[in-house]
Amino acid sequence: MLDQLEQSHLAWNASRYDWMRAAPDREATLIAWSLWILISSVAAIAGLIILIGILSSSVARRNTFNQYIIALVLPDVFFSVSCLVTCVLNSLTSSYFGGAAWCSWQSFYVVFGFSGSIWMQVVIASEIRAMVHAVHNERFYTQPPLRKVLAQVAGVYALSAFWASWIFIPSLPIAENAIGGLACLPLAYSAESEMFLWTVFLLPLLFVPLAIVGGFVLASRSMHASLDEKTLALLSFFSAILAVLLFMWLPTIGLIWLVEPRGLGLWVTIIGGGWSHLQGFVSATLYLRKQDVRQAVAELPALRCVVRPWLRLAH
């Protein structure tokens, strides 16, 4: 479903659900899409460099936690490239491209990208917990084999695709629409629909994995005194990755699903959307803090002139 409303045609006392779907003027939407094209391009390139760096290094590939980094980067790249294509098409046509069909596709890839990232954090936290327990109890920790990692990643991606596909089920009380006329997401259209969105849809998508990861982190804190420097560094590294994900996505969720643009025009959606688009680049920069990933990227001969300033930034 795609209802093309304009803010200038809405009464001030129109419902918040109408205001969430209403677009500002055409010039403002083109500015928003142009900005998102720039951010998405940077995020996509950064993610691809991390992928190429790890995959091209036999040393980096063998590390299980670098395999998990690949699994984190893939949804980010998928999200960034998809957003880039969507914004380019929107800009070229000076309107939301593709109508209802493309709106559904955009809702799917946004939800899949976010869900894939947040639930991969659960898998990683579970593995770090196993490592922490082994070190704490003075047992030898063995990294899981590649086939187990691939099975975990496939499970997370399948679960993410399942949640993202809810927008294709017409009987469910959520419907995709262009928030602020700019980007399609699952949106509520009534008080009952909004209750469903936050409890049935977003609760398992966001709050349940956060609670699981939070529990792992709290349980690990009590064992810090018995952990060696390498284990503590890995625990700190992946905790920082989770913190970045939350820092970049929670404001977006608040601005898009909680704050209506009545009187605020373009800026609610453009800031919320732009902030989430930056997450791929910020996370990729953080991955370079891991020594073997940094070394793998630094050894890319064709990209040295490109990545050298970025490596200095990440250091």
Side-chain angles (χ1 to χ4, degrees):
M1 182 173 67
L2 180 62
D3 298 327
Q4 290 287 304
L5 304 173
E6 292 186 14
Q7 292 181 359
S8 60
H9 295 165
L10 282 182
W12 186 258
N13 61 351
S15 74
R16 69 185 300 267
Y17 306 109
D18 286 337
W19 275 100
M20 289 173 69
R21 288 163 169 75
D25 61 77
R26 189 59 49 83
E27 182 180 351
T29 58
L30 290 175
I31 291 173
W33 288 328
S34 298
L35 179 61
W36 291 353
I37 287 172
L38 175 62
I39 298 174
S40 296
S41 299
V42 172
I45 292 170
L48 287 171
I49 289 174
I50 296 295
L51 284 176
I52 295 169
I54 295 176
L55 292 174
S56 64
S57 169
S58 59
V59 174
R61 282 200 313 269
R62 284 197 298 268
N63 188 297
T64 293
F65 291 101
N66 290 339
Q67 295 164 10
Y68 286 138
I69 288 176
I70 291 174
L72 285 170
V73 173
L74 284 173
D76 288 345
V77 171
F78 174 65
F79 170 75
S80 296
V81 171
S82 299
C83 286
L84 172 61
V85 171
T86 300
C87 290
V88 167
L89 292 173
N90 292 346
S91 297
L92 291 175
T93 58
S94 297
S95 63
Y96 191 89
F97 174 85
W102 199 274
C103 184
S104 297
W105 165 241
Q106 185 172 36
S107 295
F108 177 89
Y109 72 66
V110 170
V111 173
F112 177 86
F114 175 73
S115 177
S117 295
I118 196 70
W119 274 96
M120 272 311 306
Q121 294 282 355
V122 175
V123 173
I124 294 168
S126 176
E127 193 58 41
I128 290 179
R129 180 175 179 270
M131 180 183 65
V132 167
H133 272 268
V135 174
H136 176 71
N137 295 311
E138 298 181 345
R139 290 185 284 105
F140 182 74
Y141 168 74
T142 303
Q143 292 188 357
L146 178 60
R147 62 179 179 275
K148 179 182 177 180
V149 174
L150 293 177
Q152 292 171 326
V153 173
V156 168
Y157 289 176
L159 186 64
S160 301
F162 167 72
W163 268 312
S165 66
W166 281 23
I167 50 94
F168 299 118
I169 305 175
S171 59
L172 295 180
I174 52 172
E176 72 281 4
N177 216 307
I179 180 76
L182 296 173
C184 278
L185 294 169
L187 295 178
Y189 49 81
S190 65
E192 294 77 13
S193 174
E194 191 155 19
M195 179 65 71
F196 180 90
L197 176 73
W198 286 98
T199 57
V200 180
F201 186 69
L202 288 178
L203 181 66
L205 188 70
L206 173 64
F207 300 109
V208 168
L210 286 182
I212 294 172
V213 174
F216 286 159
V217 171
L218 289 176
S220 299
R221 287 181 64 87
S222 63
M223 307 178 196
H224 276 198
S226 63
L227 301 181
D228 57 70
E229 184 177 344
K230 182 179 178 180
T231 304
L232 282 172
L234 195 63
L235 180 60
S236 175
F237 173 76
F238 280 102
S239 296
I241 291 174
L242 176 63
V244 165
L245 185 69
L246 298 181
F247 182 68
M248 304 304 295
W249 273 97
L250 287 181
T252 296
I253 290 170
L255 287 172
I256 288 178
W257 277 307
L258 286 177
V259 180
E260 62 181 82
R262 193 190 316 253
L264 298 176
L266 170 72
W267 297 107
V268 168
T269 306
I270 191 173
I271 293 173
W275 192 248
S276 65
H277 284 64
L278 276 171
Q279 179 262 315
F281 173 74
V282 176
S283 293
T285 302
L286 185 60
Y287 299 144
L288 293 177
R289 304 285 293 182
K290 195 168 183 290
Q291 183 59 39
D292 55 350
V293 175
R294 180 183 179 87
Q295 184 64 33
V297 170
E299 291 176 355
L300 292 173
L303 296 173
R304 282 177 184 169
C305 60
V306 177
V307 302
R308 192 173 292 120
W310 188 29
L311 289 169
R312 287 198 294 267
L313 173 67
H315 188 60

